[in-house]
Amino acid sequence: MEIKKFSYDQLTQLSNKDSMYILSPEKLKDFFQWDMELASFKELIETKAKHKLDRITLTKVLKEQYSSFPDNTLQLELIEQLKDENCFTVTTAHQPSALTGPLYYVFKIASVINLSKQLKQKFPDYKFIPCFVTGGEDHDFEEIDHLSVFGNELTWENHSWNGGSVGQINLDGLDTLLDQLCGKLGVKSYGSTWIKNRVYPLLTKAKNYSEFARMLTHVLFGMQGLLVISMDDAQLKSKFSPIIKKEIFERPSEKLIQDTQDRLSKLGWKAQAHARNINFFYRTENSRSRIVFEDEKYQTADYSTSWTEEELEKEITDYPGSFSPNVVMRPLFQESILPNLAYIGGGGEIAYWLERKSQFEHFNVPFPMLIRRNSALIVPHNLEKKLNKTNLGFEHFFSHPDSLVKSYLASIGEDAYTLNTQKSGLDELMEEAIKKAKTADPTLENFARAEVTKMQKSIETIEKKINKAIKRTEEVELNRLSKIQEKLFPDNGLQERKENIFQFINVYGIELLVKLIEELNPLDRSFTVFFMQTQDLQSQEQKK
């Protein structure tokens, strides 16, 4: 395996706001608290230590969540460490995507484990635990019901979903999705064998989809000391209930966030999350409906339930698990419960966290360091062979497809498809002609310039026809380059937003995850490319 790093400013696949936070964070200084540097953690640790948390309830809940997990000895030890005031977490989060979904699910986790290891070396007097908070309270099943393998989309068909939180649904049809995945990997392949031995058994262990998704993540990363956490717990929400009540009855978040969004808009940023008057849902077994305040009463947006203020306050006290935060309140909930120092997220996540600083200040909750997760690209060995046969540098494939064509044509010699030399000579010749025409009769100057413009357009037309002719001649090579680029950047986007980790584990083994952890340092703001070579494949062939 060969590792190469590239600057993010070479990528055309990132949004401007994403690039700004990575490359020019000083422009956003008013919207975050901590510089993305290892040295910043000294003061950050001191600040978070002053924020008292109920670590006993947290450890109790996590022990309950891990009680049915396989190979949980290390995690039970880590959970016990959370009782120590000198123990902190580094966190990332994501929805419980189907069989981990796109690659960035895994890149997030690798980044958070890498950072926790760095912190242990830098600050040996403290303990640091990497955490993955899995979602599951949302009710949009279509966001988590699919994955892509080798460019083929596989869909989980669960006909029993009733519109409630996706984490609470049963596992109907998930075995069929696993069958489809193994079929794409090859029935007797390394990946299929690993899945049959380690993943299929989880179907009988997990009581719902949230637990299955957490168990799967644990099976992949548990040996690396990762804690997988569900915040969807009544005991944890009980500790958050003072903020739930303040948000519902005083409703401060909407204005705070809108004001921040207005300030960010001056930097060209669009609002990322719609802050509402009340930013909680009321959840039952079969529904998750927004709470609204209308006509001087509280009710759900579907009008199924209503309360007086006294009734709603009692409901929050007695049944805190029924109150589900939306995207505006979820970060605050997480940071109120965990002894967390840093949040590692993608560009879109960082964008909406940047809208939260004043909200955190209002609720007296420490704002974490915001770190943009690593983006990376895995180049299979067979694709690397094709790359090596081109006469273009790898960085050319980062560009737009049209720019790639121009780069290739330039590589075979600019004179082959342009008339730059001829146009330059014509310009000099025509300037002389204009001067002579003007000397003979000043009224001829405009006529002469018009004729020159016609000639220039004629030259450009000839140039375009030459260009098209050469493209026809080079069609085979251009098609080859286009196919390579499409494999590297599907639909001119990042591979990490499309393909699934199991297609790479299938070829390079589960040890690939360890290599990702070693290399994906989120404080190193570089785009990491893993060139998988023949020895990586050979090691897997020996295992088979």
Side-chain angles (χ1 to χ4, degrees):
M1 182 185 300
E2 183 181 5
I3 313 294
K4 290 185 179 180
K5 305 275 189 176
F6 297 88
S7 172
Y8 279 105
D9 61 8
Q10 294 177 268
L11 292 179
T12 61
Q13 291 79 12
L14 295 182
S15 67
N16 290 334
K17 65 176 182 292
D18 198 358
S19 298
M20 183 186 294
Y21 191 72
I22 298 170
L23 300 170
S24 306
E26 65 279 357
K27 296 179 181 178
L28 297 160
K29 182 63 177 173
D30 290 344
F31 305 98
F32 63 88
Q33 188 169 353
W34 308 99
D35 292 334
M36 292 173 283
E37 299 173 356
L38 207 56
S40 299
F41 280 93
K42 184 178 186 300
E43 185 180 355
L44 177 50
I45 289 169
E46 295 170 355
T47 300
K48 189 66 178 182
K50 296 174 184 176
H51 184 235
K52 297 307 176 184
L53 303 166
D54 187 346
R55 292 173 179 261
I56 300 303
T57 298
L58 175 61
T59 55
K60 177 177 179 291
V61 168
L62 292 182
K63 285 180 181 178
E64 291 171 357
Q65 291 185 4
Y66 267 93
S67 61
S68 58
F69 278 39
D71 305 317
N72 63 2
T73 303
L74 174 57
Q75 276 60 42
L76 293 176
E77 292 174 357
L78 293 172
I79 292 168
E80 193 66 25
Q81 289 180 19
L82 281 170
K83 293 179 180 178
D84 188 340
E85 296 288 339
N86 284 337
C87 182
F88 298 93
T89 61
V90 181
T91 302
T92 189
H94 198 66
Q95 291 177 301
S97 301
L99 306 179
T100 75
L103 277 168
Y104 63 77
Y105 184 104
V106 169
F107 293 167
K108 280 183 171 184
I109 296 172
S111 298
V112 83
I113 297 174
N114 179 291
L115 180 57
S116 68
K117 290 183 176 183
Q118 290 188 66
L119 290 171
K120 289 174 186 177
Q121 292 181 344
K122 180 72 173 178
F123 305 100
D125 293 335
Y126 297 92
K127 300 181 182 72
F128 303 94
I129 300 176
C131 294
F132 180 77
V133 174
T134 181
E137 293 193 47
D138 285 353
H139 51 273
D140 193 342
F141 181 62
E142 291 181 355
E143 289 189 5
I144 60 101
D145 70 347
H146 58 278
L147 70 154
S148 177
V149 181
F150 303 119
N152 301 290
E153 186 167 290
L154 310 180
T155 302
W156 174 21
E157 300 286 348
N158 184 320
H159 300 293
S160 62
W161 179 60
N162 54 18
S165 296
V166 296
Q168 300 302 316
I169 62 177
N170 61 35
L171 306 183
D172 288 355
L174 201 53
D175 55 344
T176 303
L177 181 64
L178 284 169
D179 291 343
Q180 292 175 359
L181 174 59
C182 290
K184 292 296 181 184
L185 299 179
V187 177
K188 296 183 179 181
S189 67
Y190 171 89
S192 290
T193 301
W194 192 91
I195 289 170
K196 287 172 183 175
N197 291 336
R198 302 302 306 276
V199 183
Y200 274 92
L202 303 181
L203 295 172
T204 57
K205 292 179 180 293
K207 64 179 180 292
N208 56 33
Y209 182 60
S210 173
E211 191 167 62
F212 173 85
R214 284 182 280 127
M215 283 184 175
L216 173 58
T217 305
H218 168 71
V219 167
L220 289 168
F221 290 100
M223 292 301 293
Q224 298 298 322
L226 181 73
L227 276 185
V228 187
I229 301 171
S230 170
M231 301 297 292
D232 186 7
D233 183 275
Q235 298 171 82
L236 297 181
K237 288 182 179 177
S238 177
K239 298 303 173 182
F240 190 55
S241 62
I243 291 180
I244 297 177
K245 293 175 182 178
K246 189 171 184 177
E247 171 64 18
I248 290 178
F249 299 129
E250 298 179 16
R251 303 184 282 282
S253 294
E254 182 178 32
K255 184 177 187 312
L256 290 168
I257 291 172
Q258 286 180 353
D259 287 347
T260 302
Q261 290 172 339
D262 289 343
R263 291 163 56 209
L264 280 165
S265 69
K266 295 176 182 177
L267 296 173
W269 285 45
K270 293 182 180 179
Q272 296 300 302
H274 178 55
R276 297 184 179 275
N277 191 242
I278 294 176
N279 294 287
F280 279 93
F281 293 86
Y282 184 70
R283 193 176 56 171
T284 65
E285 184 178 351
N286 299 323
S287 68
R288 182 174 181 256
S289 183
R290 286 191 298 109
I291 300 171
V292 297
F293 183 66
E294 295 177 351
D295 300 325
E296 299 303 315
K297 65 179 180 180
Y298 296 91
Q299 58 190 16
T300 54
D302 62 5
Y303 303 110
S304 62
T305 310
S306 64
W307 309 266
T308 65
E309 183 171 323
E310 293 76 17
E311 289 171 339
L312 183 53
E313 183 172 11
K314 186 176 187 303
E315 186 80 1
I316 296 170
T317 299
D318 294 345
Y319 304 103
S322 298
F323 294 84
S324 177
N326 70 1
V327 68
V328 166
M329 296 303 293
R330 198 175 299 142
L332 199 65
F333 177 32
Q334 174 183 296
E335 299 301 312
S336 297
I337 301 300
L338 298 178
N340 195 47
L341 300 175
Y343 182 78
I344 296 177
E349 289 176 284
I350 295 298
Y352 78 72
W353 274 82
L354 289 171
E355 299 174 347
R356 303 286 179 272
K357 186 182 174 187
S358 62
Q359 181 197 29
F360 270 69
E361 291 169 350
H362 180 85
F363 286 102
N364 295 313
V365 176
F367 200 52
M369 182 185 295
L370 302 180
I371 304 175
R372 206 279 190 185
R373 67 165 172 80
N374 294 85
S375 280
L377 172 65
I378 301 174
V379 181
H381 69 284
N382 59 336
L383 191 56
E384 185 187 12
K385 288 180 180 178
K386 294 178 181 178
L387 278 165
N388 291 337
K389 292 179 181 179
T390 71
N391 60 347
L392 292 178
F394 183 74
E395 61 276 6
H396 288 292
F397 290 89
F398 294 157
S399 62
H400 188 275
D402 291 341
S403 298
L404 180 66
V405 170
K406 291 178 181 178
S407 295
Y408 172 73
L409 294 178
S411 74
I412 62 175
E414 187 178 50
D415 288 344
Y417 72 97
T418 69
L419 295 174
N420 289 341
T421 302
Q422 289 77 10
K423 285 190 288 187
S424 176
L426 177 64
D427 288 343
E428 293 178 8
L429 180 63
M430 289 299 97
E431 280 300 320
E432 286 297 321
I434 290 170
K435 286 180 182 179
K436 288 188 177 183
K438 184 178 179 180
T439 300
D441 183 348
T443 63
L444 292 177
E445 181 180 2
N446 290 338
F447 168 76
R449 290 193 180 279
E451 292 301 309
V452 167
T453 299
K454 290 179 184 178
M455 292 181 192
Q456 288 171 335
K457 289 181 178 180
S458 296
I459 291 291
E460 289 172 2
T461 299
I462 295 170
E463 187 176 68
K464 287 177 182 178
K465 290 185 177 295
I466 292 173
N467 207 318
K468 286 182 179 180
I470 289 180
K471 283 183 179 180
R472 285 195 297 271
T473 304
E474 300 291 336
E475 184 176 7
V476 173
E477 182 63 17
L478 289 173
N479 285 339
R480 186 164 72 95
L481 293 175
S482 178
K483 289 178 181 178
I484 291 173
Q485 188 178 46
E486 177 61 22
K487 288 287 186 181
L488 295 171
F489 300 100
D491 300 323
N492 198 35
L494 294 180
Q495 176 199 63
E496 65 188 33
R497 305 197 67 82
K498 185 78 173 178
E499 303 297 352
N500 179 269
I501 188 62
F502 281 107
Q503 73 184 58
F504 299 102
I505 288 176
N506 189 49
V507 179
Y508 305 109
I510 198 68
E511 294 82 1
L512 174 62
L513 300 182
V514 177
K515 196 63 181 176
L516 294 178
I517 291 169
E518 290 175 356
E519 297 296 335
L520 295 182
N521 170 13
L523 298 179
D524 174 16
R525 294 171 227 174
S526 298
F527 182 67
T528 306
V529 181
F530 296 84
F531 292 93
M532 310 304 294
Q533 299 175 334
T534 53
Q535 59 265 34
D536 303 305
L537 175 62
Q538 288 167 354
S539 66
Q540 272 318 300
E541 290 298 327
Q542 292 168 1
K543 288 182 181 180
K544 293 178 188 178

